[in-house]
Amino acid sequence: MSPTMTEATVVTLKIDDREISARSDQTVLEVAWENDVFVPALCHYEGLGDVGACRLCLVEIKGSPKLTPACAIKVVQDMEVITLSERLQKYRRSIIELLFAERNHICSVCVSNGHCELQWLAQKLGVDHIRYPYLYPKVSVDASHERFALDHNRCILCARCVRACDEVEGAHVWDLLGRGVDTRLISDLGTPWGESETCTTCGKCVHICPTGALFEKGKSVAEMVHARPRFAAMARVRNNSGR
Amino acid sequence: MTPEELTLAAEKEENGSRAFEHIVGVCTSTACLASHSDKIKKEFDAQVKAKGLTKSVRVKAVGCCGLCAEGPMVYVESQADAEKAAETRTYAHVSNEAVPALVDSLGAAPVADLACDTAQPFFTRQHKIVLEHSGVVDPERLEDSIQVGGYQALLNALTTMNPADVVDTIMRSGLRGRGGGGFPTGLKWSTVAKAVGDRKYVICNGDEGDPGAFMDRSVMESDPHRVLEGMAIAGYAVGATEGFVYVRAEYPLAVKRLKLAIKQAERAGLLGANIGGTHFSFKIDVRLGAGAFVCGEETALIASIEGRRGSPRPRPPYPAASGLWGFPTLINNVETFANIAPIVKNGAEWYAALGSGKSQGTKVFALTGKVKNTGLIEVPMGITLREIVYDIGGGPFDGHTIKAVQTGGPSGGCIPEAYLDRPVEYETLVQLGSIMGSGGLIAMDDTSCMVDVARYFMEFCMTESCGKCIPCRVGTVEMHALLTKICEGQATMTDLEQLEELCDVVRSTSLCGLGQTAPSPVISTLRYFREEYLAHIEHKTCPAGVCSGLKSGAVKAKEVVA
C-alpha cells in the first residue's frame, strides 16, 4: 500500500500565526483556501493533479530555507506556514508581470475581460504597470474548431486544459510542444483543433481556462464567462458510488 | 563467472599480454577520433602485419589519455628484457605518416619529435582514481578490464559483504555526488535502501550538458565497465534489480560502447541473472536523451525514461521515495558510480584519507579555455585552482593573463584570479559564489568580457528552459535581453537594477535547479567584475574589446568612480 492510500490523520498547523486543523492528506493550498487565507495560484485547479508550475502559491515554511509551492506540499503536524510577506508579495507581482510581458494580453479587447483569473490576480496583487519589456511574440489563433477557438496570445501555459482533458475527459487532446518561451499548446500531434480526431467537444478545457486563451465562438469582448466545472465534486461522487 | 574464474581470467589475460614485447595504445576517444586516430590504429595494424611483428607487438585501441589538446595520442609499453628495463613512451600529435617510423622505433631509440614529456606537471600533478584505467584498457574488450581488476569489487561485495556493509562503506568513504550538488552518496544510498517498494531502480545520469564539459562522456567512452560495475554494486546495496544508464543521444560513441559493454558483461555472467553464481541479479539498459539540458535534473530525467515530456516536478517526494514509475530510485552521476569500485576494493578509510575538508577523493575536470594544456584531468580534492590552471593547464598563452576561472557551467560562477589560491572543495567554491558542478572548468584571460560570458550562459539557460515554470521561462528571456542591451551599450543603470532584481526572482522562485541556478553566472560576475558592467553602461566601453560597437580598452579608475 502506498503512503497516499493510508488513512489520513488530523493535524494542527499554523498559517500566518493562526491555528488551523486539517487532514494530513491535504495540501497547504487546500487548507489555506478552506480557511479563507488568500494564496494566489493559476495552475492549480481543484480536482486536477498539481504540477507546481506557476510559482504563485510559493509560501515560506519555517525551517525550510527555500520557498515551497503550497499546492505541492502536504500539511504536517506543527507546520508553520507564512503566506504573506513583503518578499512573497514582491515575487508574486514579478511573476504576474512576467506573464503579461510574455504574450499579448490586451484586456480591453479580450473575450474574458472581467472574467479572467490573470486579470483578477493582477488587480488583487496591485500590479498596475509592467516593468519588463514586452516580448510581443507573433502567435496565431486556431479557430478551426466548430464551437471553440484557441488564442495563443492569451495562453499562460498553466496546462490546466491539458490535465482536464487527460485526467477527467480521458481524451488527452492537448499537450505542449517545444520548450522555454517557445512552448506552445497543441492539439493532437500539432494538427489544427478542428481536425483533431480525439476531441470530444466536451468544452471542459474551455471552461477551465483561467484566461481568454480557450473560448466559445461567437463570444465578443468580455462575454466569455467560464462555467468552472466542479471536478473535485465529480470525483467524490464517482468514488462514493463505486464503494 | 565466479570470483575464482574471474581471477583466473585476469591472470590469463595478464600472461597473454606479457607474451607481447610491445603494446601500442592508440587513443580512440572522441577528441582523438576527430583527428582520425581510427585510421592511425589501422595503419599501425597494417605496418605491424607488413613487418611480420604480429607475434611481438599488440596494437590496441584505448580510451582517453587526457591531453586532448595534443592529440592524437599514442603510447608504447615495452617489456623489460635482458638489455633494458620496461618503459612507456608517450607520443603526441601522431599522424598517419609517422606510423612507419614509430613501428621502426620499437626496441630502438624513440621518435624524438613526437615524444610527449610525461614528466610535465600536467601528468605528475594528477591523481587518478576514476580515470585510472582510462587510456589503458580497450573499452571494447571486457578481458582488458578484467585484467586490471574489473568486476572484482562487485564479486567481492556479493560474496563477502551484505548490502548494509556496502552502504556503510560508501557512507564512511565520504564520497559526495559528483554531478555537482555534492549530496553525500552514502546517505542517498541508505535512504533508497530503507525505502519500501516492490521494486527499486538504479539510474546513472549521463546527461552531461554543461557547455565545455566532457568528463562523463570520457569515462563512459574510455572505461564503460567501471560505470556498470559501480551501478551493479549500488543495485546490490539498495536492493534494486534493474538499472538504466541515461545518456544523451549526442554521445553516440559512449552509447555504442556502453551497449557493447553490457552485452559482454552479461555474456560473462557479470551482469544479468545470478551474477557471479550468486542470487543477485541486475539488469542494465541504456536510455537515450533527446537533447534537453533539463533532463539532467533528476525528476525530468525520470519523466524522460518513462516516455513522458522531460520536465521536472516539485520535490518532495524525492526519487529515493518515489522515482521511476513511482518506485524508490537511486540516481547518481557517471563519475560517482565510477568511484564505487575502487572504494569497495580499497576500503572507505583509503578514500576518506584523500582530499580535504568535507570533500573526499578526487574530482575529474574538463579543463578548457585560454590555457595551454586543455583536456581531461583528475585531481585530488583540496588542490588549488591556481595549481590546476598554471601547473596542470600550463598557464595562459604568451602575452595574456588569466582573469577568471568558470566552474559549474551555466549553474556556476566566475572566480576571479585573486581567489585562485582557494582549494577545490564543495563548500569553498560555494562561498566564492560558484559551485563544484559536474566538472567543467573554463579558464578565461584578458580577452574575455565578463558581461559577454554572463550573456552567453544566460542564452544557454534561456534556450534550455523547459518552459514549465514562469520565472525560468520568461525571466531568463528578460535577463538575456537586458544583458544584450548592456553588451550593445544601450543600457542604463535602471536596467542593471532590473537585472539584479530579476536574478533574485528567478533564483528564489524557479521550480528546478536549472532556473534556480540560471542567474548564478550573472550574480558572480556582478560580484567580482561590476566595474566591467559599469564600463559598458556608463562609458560605452568594453574593457576586453569583445563587444562590437563599443570602445575597447580599459576605463581609467577615475572615470569609473565618476
Side-chain angles (χ1 to χ4, degrees):
Chain A
M1 197 152 66
S2 75
T4 49
M5 288 173 71
T6 49
E7 292 275 308
T9 54
V10 175
V11 298
T12 54
L13 68 153
K14 266 188 186 169
I15 298 184
D16 297 332
D17 277 333
R18 208 174 117 196
E19 300 262 11
I20 285 173
S21 65
R23 272 196 339 267
S24 62
D25 60 353
Q26 287 183 293
T27 63
V28 171
L29 187 69
E30 278 177 279
V31 175
W33 283 11
E34 225 174 64
N35 290 278
D36 295 324
V37 177
F38 170 69
V39 178
L42 280 175
C43 67
H44 170 82
Y45 193 90
E46 203 192 355
L48 294 182
D50 277 307
V51 288
C54 74
R55 318 307 286 169
L56 282 165
C57 72
L58 287 179
V59 292
E60 293 172 23
I61 290 176
K62 273 213 178 130
S64 164
K66 280 187 179 172
L67 302 176
T68 314
C71 68
I73 187 152
K74 295 260 169 20
V75 291
V76 287
Q77 180 66 33
D78 297 331
M79 187 183 236
E80 287 185 44
V81 183
I82 298 165
T83 67
L84 197 62
S85 69
E86 210 173 297
R87 182 170 172 233
L88 286 174
Q89 284 296 85
K90 194 188 103 187
Y91 290 153
R92 288 166 184 168
R93 276 196 294 269
S94 290
I95 290 170
I96 294 284
E97 285 183 57
L98 286 171
L99 273 182
F100 273 104
E102 184 188 14
R103 299 263 171 113
N104 308 305
H105 295 279
I106 302 150
C107 299
S108 56
V109 294
C110 178
V111 285
S112 285
N113 189 7
H115 314 286
C116 170
E117 288 181 40
L118 178 64
Q119 189 185 35
W120 180 77
L121 271 182
Q123 287 165 353
K124 177 105 183 159
L125 291 167
V127 177
D128 46 17
H129 69 292
I130 311 298
R131 291 165 299 158
Y132 309 119
Y134 284 84
L135 303 181
Y136 297 121
K138 268 194 185 161
V139 286
S140 58
V141 177
D142 179 353
S144 57
H145 194 279
E146 55 174 335
R147 281 181 55 202
F148 311 121
L150 160 63
D151 184 354
H152 286 289
N153 290 293
R154 314 278 190 256
C155 179
I156 58 167
L157 299 172
C158 64
R160 270 162 42 167
C161 53
V162 176
R163 283 172 283 152
C165 190
D166 176 43
E167 296 171 15
V168 184
E169 180 64 8
H172 202 135
V173 175
W174 299 113
D175 216 319
L176 300 171
L177 173 81
R179 64 184 174 213
V181 80
D182 299 322
T183 307
R184 297 286 180 268
L185 182 68
I186 54 160
S187 45
D188 283 2
L189 292 171
T191 49
W193 193 1
E195 290 167 29
S196 165
E197 290 173 4
T198 52
C199 179
T200 60
T201 317
C202 74
K204 287 188 181 66
C205 55
V206 173
H207 287 282
I208 204 174
C209 180
T211 68
L214 293 167
F215 58 95
E216 286 172 345
K217 278 187 172 174
K219 293 276 158 74
S220 181
V221 174
E223 286 179 357
M224 180 62 213
V225 183
H226 300 98
R228 296 294 179 238
R230 301 188 62 198
F231 293 148
M234 284 161 60
R236 273 197 297 275
V237 170
R238 212 168 26 232
N239 288 345
N240 286 342
S241 62
R243 258 177 212 166
Chain B
M1 224 182 243
T2 62
E4 295 75 28
E5 286 167 345
L6 187 70
T7 317
L8 280 176
E11 276 171 21
K12 188 181 155 212
E13 188 61 24
E14 178 71 29
N15 291 335
S17 57
R18 218 174 275 153
F20 293 101
E21 278 172 46
H22 308 281
I23 292 179
V24 178
V26 183
C27 174
T28 52
S29 216
T30 297
C32 288
L33 266 185
S35 327
H36 303 292
S37 66
D38 51 337
K39 287 189 184 136
I40 295 173
K41 157 97 175 29
K42 271 189 197 146
E43 184 66 20
F44 263 111
D45 281 330
Q47 287 286 332
V48 166
K49 203 172 170 195
K51 295 192 169 132
L53 297 169
T54 43
K55 287 225 167 100
S56 63
V57 178
R58 183 184 156 200
V59 182
K60 67 176 182 181
V62 295
C64 184
C65 302
L67 194 53
C68 304
E70 307 276 309
M73 304 283 290
V74 168
Y75 71 82
V76 180
E77 252 176 37
S78 302
Q79 297 267 354
D81 60 23
E83 288 155 34
K84 52 183 187 354
E87 63 163 345
T88 304
R89 294 168 182 170
T90 306
Y91 296 106
H93 295 299
V94 176
S95 62
N96 247 2
E97 293 71 39
V99 173
L102 285 172
V103 173
D104 288 336
S105 78
L106 296 173
V111 179
D113 2 322
L114 294 177
C116 175
D117 176 19
T118 51
Q120 58 175 306
F122 182 86
F123 294 98
T124 57
R125 298 301 295 271
Q126 294 197 45
H127 186 113
K128 295 195 172 184
I129 294 175
V130 170
L131 302 176
E132 65 179 326
H133 299 141
S134 290
V136 177
V137 298
D138 180 345
E140 300 191 4
R141 274 188 86 231
L142 172 65
E143 296 80 0
D144 260 42
S145 289
I146 289 178
Q147 185 189 347
V148 293
Y151 292 99
Q152 271 172 13
L154 171 63
L155 295 197
N156 205 7
L158 293 182
T159 50
T160 65
M161 299 166 88
N162 62 43
D165 292 339
V166 181
V167 173
D168 183 56
T169 304
I170 301 303
M171 191 90 96
R172 282 185 295 116
S173 73
L175 176 66
R176 295 169 66 173
R178 294 292 192 252
F183 190 80
T185 307
L187 188 57
K188 204 183 236 184
W189 285 30
S190 80
T191 314
V192 181
K194 288 207 173 88
V196 184
D198 300 340
R199 265 185 282 166
K200 290 181 190 177
Y201 292 101
V202 171
I203 297 176
C204 174
N205 184 347
D207 191 58
E208 179 176 62
D210 292 7
F214 51 90
M215 306 73 53
D216 295 347
R217 191 202 74 212
S218 228
V219 172
M220 291 186 284
E221 282 175 3
S222 307
D223 199 0
H225 287 288
R226 172 61 83 80
V227 181
L228 301 179
E229 186 181 1
M231 287 178 72
I233 294 173
Y236 176 66
V238 303
T241 51
E242 207 176 338
F244 291 97
V245 192
Y246 187 84
V247 194
R248 54 197 306 220
E250 292 92 330
Y251 286 175
L253 188 62
V255 171
K256 179 188 146 205
R257 287 183 179 166
L258 278 168
K259 283 186 173 164
L260 184 68
I262 292 170
K263 231 180 242 171
Q264 291 169 339
E266 278 178 354
R267 208 173 297 145
L270 297 167
L271 277 182
N274 301 95
I275 296 175
T278 66
H279 291 295
F280 177 65
S281 300
F282 192 72
K283 187 174 150 260
I284 298 181
D285 263 321
V286 176
R287 285 289 180 276
L288 302 195
F293 180 66
V294 74
C295 287
E297 183 72 30
E298 57 184 16
T299 53
L301 189 156
I302 287 173
S304 174
I305 292 184
E306 289 173 350
R308 294 184 289 121
R309 180 176 162 91
S311 58
R313 61 159 176 81
R315 297 176 303 184
Y318 285 89
S322 173
L324 195 56
W325 292 297
F327 295 103
T329 304
L330 173 76
I331 300 194
N332 278 138
N333 163 268
V334 170
E335 193 185 332
T336 313
F337 280 123
N339 269 302
I340 300 303
I343 293 175
V344 170
K345 197 167 167 184
N346 302 318
E349 290 68 27
W350 163 81
Y351 197 80
L354 291 163
S356 73
K358 285 184 189 163
S359 308
Q360 267 64 46
T362 58
K363 180 78 195 83
V364 181
F365 284 106
L367 180 59
T368 54
K370 306 286 178 62
V371 285
K372 286 176 191 150
N373 301 331
T374 54
L376 192 71
I377 60 165
E378 183 172 358
V379 289
M381 292 280 191
I383 191 172
T384 65
L385 288 163
R386 190 176 300 280
E387 287 172 275
I388 294 181
V389 173
Y390 283 88
D391 296 348
I392 297 176
F397 293 105
D398 297 335
H400 293 285
T401 49
I402 294 289
K403 186 174 183 178
V405 169
Q406 210 278 348
T407 66
S411 313
C414 296
I415 300 166
E417 210 272 344
Y419 293 98
L420 290 190
D421 289 312
R422 297 292 183 86
V424 172
E425 289 168 2
Y426 287 97
E427 281 73 22
T428 313
L429 293 179
V430 170
Q431 268 173 22
L432 291 175
S434 187
I435 55 164
M436 177 75 77
S438 57
L441 206 152
I442 307 167
M444 295 167 185
D445 66 9
D446 47 352
T447 61
S448 306
C449 166
M450 302 318 275
V451 186
D452 185 60
V453 166
R455 180 177 70 152
Y456 169 77
F457 282 115
M458 192 53 71
E459 185 179 356
F460 182 84
C461 291
M462 174 181 87
T463 47
E464 290 297 339
S465 166
C466 77
K468 180 170 177 175
C469 77
I470 301 159
C472 175
R473 182 178 77 223
V474 196
T476 51
V477 177
E478 294 284 358
M479 282 196 280
H480 180 257
L482 288 168
L483 287 163
T484 306
K485 218 170 154 189
I486 297 174
C487 286
E488 288 170 353
Q490 307 288 325
T492 61
M493 288 306 283
T494 319
D495 291 318
L496 187 63
E497 229 169 78
Q498 193 166 77
L499 179 66
E500 292 191 276
E501 187 246 316
L502 271 173
C503 282
D504 176 41
V505 172
V506 175
R507 180 167 63 167
S508 308
T509 64
S510 290
L511 197 164
C512 80
L514 195 161
Q516 286 162 8
T517 58
S520 297
V522 184
I523 294 171
S524 81
T525 47
L526 270 169
R527 174 172 164 189
Y528 296 115
F529 300 97
R530 202 182 183 85
E531 72 283 355
E532 284 199 28
Y533 281 83
L534 296 180
H536 282 77
I537 296 169
E538 297 191 321
H539 303 276
K540 314 292 173 211
T541 302
C542 176
V546 173
C547 300
S548 59
L550 295 191
K551 285 180 278 180
S552 65
V555 176
K556 283 178 205 138
K558 234 186 194 171
E559 288 180 60
V560 174
V561 176

